[in-house]
Structures are given as structure tokens and as C-alpha cells.
Amino acid sequence: CSTCRGLVVVDTSAGTYSKTLDYYLMGQFSRFVPRGATALATTGSQDDGGGQKFEAISFLEGDGSRTVVVQNNFANEVFLTVAFKGGETWSGTVYKESLTTWQLPPASG
């Protein structure tokens, strides 16, 4: 796979290692998205190439709560509004070069 990456890069000659972005992504998902959560159709991601991208994915949990994970690789912060099918919205700042997780309560109503 030409685009596959590992979670950790090991330099055996130098005796060092470094954690990749995927390491931190795995940490976010394993900490905040419980087993059995359903991935929701999510739109609005953007990839300008060269590592410059903004990606989002959301999940619905068994109790009706939602989790939104956003990766912002751009050099500027983005004010994001998430709109759910039921009409509810949630807004906030996603800081530059960050991985952000929002845990949202079940929809009211």
C-alpha cells in the first residue's frame, strides 16, 4: 500500500521512534468513540493536497449522544457548524493544526 502509514516510525540505527498523526487519531477514536457506535454520513471535508486538509466524521452512540472528530491540518483556525438531520446545530472553533473531538448530548425532543 503506497499510502499506508504505521502508528509509530522506528529508526533502528538511531535508536529512536516518533509517533505519527495516525497514532493520535487512533487515540481519539479509541478514547471517545465507544464500541457499537454507528458512523454517520458526514460531509464538508476538504483536501487541498500536500497534507493540507480538513476532515470530519461523526458517530451516533446507543444512548443517542453523538461524537464528532475533526482534523484540521490548515495553518488557520476554522469556525465550524455541524448540522444534524433533525435540524439541531452545534458550533465551535477548530484550532489550526489540531485534532478536536466534540461529545454532544442526545438531541432534545
Side-chain angles (χ1 to χ4, degrees):
C1 176
S2 63
T3 59
C4 297
R5 302 180 302 219
L7 298 178
V8 177
V9 176
V10 177
D11 183 340
T12 55
S13 61
T16 62
Y17 70 93
S18 60
K19 300 170 185 169
T20 67
L21 172 63
D22 293 335
Y23 173 89
Y24 296 101
L25 287 170
M26 180 67 74
Q28 289 294 100
F29 286 102
S30 63
R31 179 172 181 189
F32 294 107
V33 180
R35 177 174 280 155
T38 302
L40 301 173
T42 308
T43 60
S45 295
Q46 176 182 343
D47 189 343
D48 290 349
Q52 295 295 302
K53 61 183 171 181
F54 186 88
E55 294 183 291
I57 187 164
S58 55
F59 299 89
L60 177 64
E61 299 167 24
D63 65 358
S65 60
R66 288 82 36 99
T67 301
V68 180
V69 180
V70 182
Q71 175 188 354
N72 180 8
N73 286 0
F74 290 110
N76 58 288
E77 63 184 38
V78 175
F79 187 79
L80 175 68
T81 298
V82 178
F84 294 95
K85 265 188 175 176
E88 180 187 11
T89 61
W90 186 272
S91 299
T93 300
V94 179
Y95 296 102
K96 68 179 186 174
E97 301 170 348
S98 69
L99 183 60
T100 302
T101 300
W102 291 338
Q103 291 184 293
L104 310 176
S108 56

